[in-house]
Amino acid sequence: MTTLLPLYVYPADDPDAWAAVAENRWDVTVIVNVHNGPGRRYDPAYGYACAALAEAEVPMLGYVDVDYAGRPIDDVRTDILAWRAYPVGGVFFDQVPSDLASLRWMTHAVATVRGRIVLNPGVRPHPGYAALADLVCTYEGPWPRYRATPAEPDWPNAAHLVYDVPVADLTEATRRLYRRVAHGLVTDLAGTNPYRGLPAPLRVPAGVVA
């Protein structure tokens, strides 16, 4: 079981969130996103925060946006190589295409990755994508839509990312997720960036062990 934790908040803006993950050593895989990817240059703030997570043996993945196969493949590979400046153990590809026609493009995109590969099309893609990655996020979206979606069997390596869950519904949402898949995330955060910080169950002050 893998709990994916996109932590899309600058370490200097929310140092307590980063410190809490390092200090509590939760069983999560953190997705690091400097600037829609690794950014144009090394960021010492992220370097320091990632080093602390690595010291705590927290797995990390570097974020790479493929824009539904709309980005030049060389730009994608440049991002993959740039992540080697940080102690990440693989790549989280976002805005992944889901159609058969783009499968070959995506196969080339993942070819240079060292370590784990997670794809996030946000929907169930063509079955050929399952073989390209350790995990494939076959659902990403808000809780009301997830709750209204009929449960059906999913791939063994499927993950679901569910956001905008009222705190009162977190237990129900988590149970629903793990009845459908073995991997993913349930968070109460919402808005244009529902990963800007920690989900409610993980929000503890730095220095306090959960």
Side-chain angles (χ1 to χ4, degrees), residues 3-203:
T3 299
L4 296 171
L5 180 61
L7 193 53
Y8 301 165
V9 60
Y10 194 60
D13 291 340
D14 193 352
D16 286 352
W18 288 84
V21 177
E23 292 172 5
N24 289 283
R25 303 190 182 202
W26 293 304
D27 186 16
V28 299
T29 295
V30 172
I31 302 166
V32 183
N33 186 2
V34 175
H35 184 67
N36 291 326
R40 294 185 177 181
R41 59 184 64 84
Y42 179 82
D43 188 315
Y46 273 100
Y48 178 83
C50 290
L53 294 188
E55 178 68 21
E57 300 183 340
V58 177
M60 287 171 282
L61 301 171
Y63 178 100
V64 172
D65 181 7
V66 300
D67 191 23
Y68 303 106
R71 289 187 71 195
I73 195 73
D74 287 346
D75 289 354
V76 172
R77 289 172 175 163
T78 296
D79 278 0
I80 293 169
L81 290 173
W83 276 117
R84 295 180 184 175
Y86 299 90
V88 300
V91 172
F92 176 90
F93 291 94
D94 199 17
Q95 298 199 104
V96 170
S98 60
D99 59 301
L100 176 60
S102 299
L103 180 58
R104 184 177 181 182
W105 186 96
M106 201 66 222
T107 301
H108 289 303
V110 305
T112 57
V113 175
R114 296 178 182 174
R116 298 184 72 198
I117 296 171
V118 177
L119 306 181
N120 182 28
V123 298
R124 189 180 302 182
H126 182 276
Y129 287 82
L132 297 183
D134 296 280
L135 294 178
V136 180
C137 297
T138 59
Y139 178 90
E140 182 181 25
W143 166 238
R145 175 155 56 90
Y146 191 69
R147 182 170 51 187
T149 302
E152 56 183 37
D154 212 331
W155 301 340
N157 67 335
H160 293 174
L161 304 174
V162 185
Y163 54 79
D164 197 12
V165 182
V167 172
D169 290 347
L170 283 171
T171 298
E172 179 191 352
T174 301
R175 287 174 179 167
R176 285 185 181 234
L177 185 145
Y178 287 120
R179 281 199 297 264
R180 301 180 185 193
V181 294
H183 317 283
L185 174 74
V186 171
T187 179
D188 59 306
L189 301 180
T192 56
N193 179 8
Y195 310 119
R196 187 177 173 81
L198 297 176
L202 302 184
R203 289 199 289 270

